[in-house]
Amino acid sequence: MTRNSIIDSICSAILSSGKIILSAAEEGLKITEKTSARDLVTQYDRLVQERLIAAISEMLPDAQFVSEESSAKGNIDAVDAFIIDPIDGTTNFVHRMGNCAISVAWYKSGKPFYGAVYDPFAGEFFDAKAGDGAFLNGEPIRVSDVPLKNSIVLFGTAPYNPELTDETFDLVKSVFGKCQDVRRMGSAALDICHVACGRAGFYFEATLSPWDYAAAAIILGESGGNLVDLSGNEIKLSLEKTSVVAGNKNIIAESGIINA
Ligand code: LIP
C-alpha cells in the first residue's frame, strides 16, 4: 500500500469510529474512574481505540502504538508509531456535551508525518501531512494574525493535577485582561485545532499527555503555528507529560504567558 492509501484507510477508520461515538446511548455509558473522579474512561474510548489499532495494524503489522487507554505503551520513536487518543474530551462525552474528538498521529522514526483530529458531533475533520499544509474538511487553514485584544484564548484546567490549579488560574487571570475573552472547551486536541484554523489566538494547559496533543501539533505546525512549553522551549514528543502553549507566536509573545 502507498502512504497516501494508508492515510486514506486511516481516515476511513476514524470516520467510522466517529459513528460509534455518535451512536453512544446515554443509558449505555459504562463509566470507569481511572486516577480520580475527573479522569474517566468509557467502553466507547476502548472500542474506538481497539478499532483504530486493528485497522492500522492490518496495514502496518510492525507499527507501534502509544494510546491513552492502553497500559502498555509502544516505542514512540519506532519507524511507524501511532499516538492515539480515542476520545479526547471524555468528560464532555460523558456529559453529552459534544466537543470531543478522535485524535490519531503518525510519527515516523520520531518525526511528525500525519495527524488527524475528528469531532463527529461538529462534523469537523482536521488533518495535515508534514509539508503539505493543514486542512479542515479539505479546506486549507491558517492560524490567526489578529492582535491579542481581538482574540479568544483557550485553556485547559489540568483537572487530573490539582497541584497545578493555582498556576493555571493565575495564568488565566494574567491573560484575561489582555484578550477579548477566554474559554475552557474541554478537549486539548480540538482547542489546538481551533487555534490552527484561526478561531482562537492561542491555547495553553499546564500539563498534557502526548496523546492529547500529538496529532493537533502536526496540524498546528502546518497551519503556521508554534507549539512550545510554558518555558518557551520547543516540545519533543515523548511519553512524559508537558505543559503546552500552542498558537501564533506573535500573539503568544504579546500575552506574556511564557515564564509568567
Ligand atoms: C483531556 C484533555 C483536556 C485536559 C484533560 C484531559 P482526555 O483529555 O483534552 O484538555 O484538560 O486533563 O487530558 O483525558 O479527555 O482524553
Side-chain angles (χ1 to χ4, degrees), residues 29-60:
L29 283 184
K30 297 183 185 67
I31 302 163
T32 305
E33 292 184 8
K34 294 190 292 186
T35 59
S36 74
R38 290 173 165 177
D39 188 4
L40 307 175
V41 62
T42 73
Q43 76 272 36
Y44 291 97
D45 299 77
R46 296 194 178 99
L47 181 56
V48 167
Q49 177 175 277
E50 285 162 18
R51 282 176 62 102
L52 292 172
I53 290 175
I56 294 167
S57 300
E58 196 174 320
M59 297 181 286
L60 294 168

Side-chain angles (χ1 to χ4, degrees), residues 16-224:
S16 65
S17 297
K19 290 183 182 139
I20 294 174
I21 291 172
L22 290 175
S23 69
E26 186 163 353
E27 59 281 359
L29 283 184
K30 297 183 185 67
I31 302 163
T32 305
E33 292 184 8
K34 294 190 292 186
T35 59
S36 74
R38 290 173 165 177
D39 188 4
L40 307 175
V41 62
T42 73
Q43 76 272 36
Y44 291 97
D45 299 77
R46 296 194 178 99
L47 181 56
V48 167
Q49 177 175 277
E50 285 162 18
R51 282 176 62 102
L52 292 172
I53 290 175
I56 294 167
S57 300
E58 196 174 320
M59 297 181 286
L60 294 168
D62 297 330
Q64 295 277 301
F65 296 92
V66 175
S67 188
E68 180 175 17
E69 308 311 345
S70 298
S71 51
K73 303 300 187 224
N75 174 7
I76 206 163
D77 294 315
V79 171
D80 291 303
F82 289 83
I83 299 89
I84 296 174
D85 193 335
I87 302 180
D88 185 63
T90 298
T91 304
N92 284 351
F93 175 64
V94 163
H95 291 280
R96 321 296 295 174
M97 296 178 74
N99 205 69
C100 53
I102 297 170
S103 176
V104 178
W106 182 2
Y107 279 64
K108 294 180 78 63
S109 302
K111 290 186 174 33
F113 178 68
Y114 177 73
V117 175
Y118 174 52
D119 178 347
F121 295 95
E124 293 193 327
F125 195 106
F126 298 89
D127 74 336
K129 188 175 159 197
D132 286 359
F135 300 88
L136 166 54
N137 294 344
E139 294 299 321
I141 57 175
R142 292 292 296 173
V143 290
S144 162
D145 59 6
V146 304
L148 180 59
K149 68 181 176 64
N150 302 117
S151 297
I152 282 178
V153 173
L154 303 172
F155 72 99
T157 55
Y160 313 156
N161 300 82
E163 73 280 5
L164 297 174
T165 300
D166 289 346
E167 176 188 354
T168 293
F169 285 96
D170 287 346
L171 288 170
V172 171
K173 194 172 175 183
S174 75
V175 170
F176 182 54
K178 303 173 186 174
C179 68
Q180 195 169 50
D181 206 344
V182 296
R183 296 281 188 276
R184 179 353 180 218
M185 307 280 277
S187 163
L190 281 177
D191 285 349
I192 296 170
C193 288
H194 289 316
V195 171
C197 68
R199 291 171 178 164
F202 71 91
Y203 154 84
F204 73 90
E205 189 147 4
T207 192
L208 283 177
S209 297
W211 43 80
D212 295 319
Y213 69 86
I218 300 173
I219 295 161
L220 179 75
E222 290 297 317
S223 71

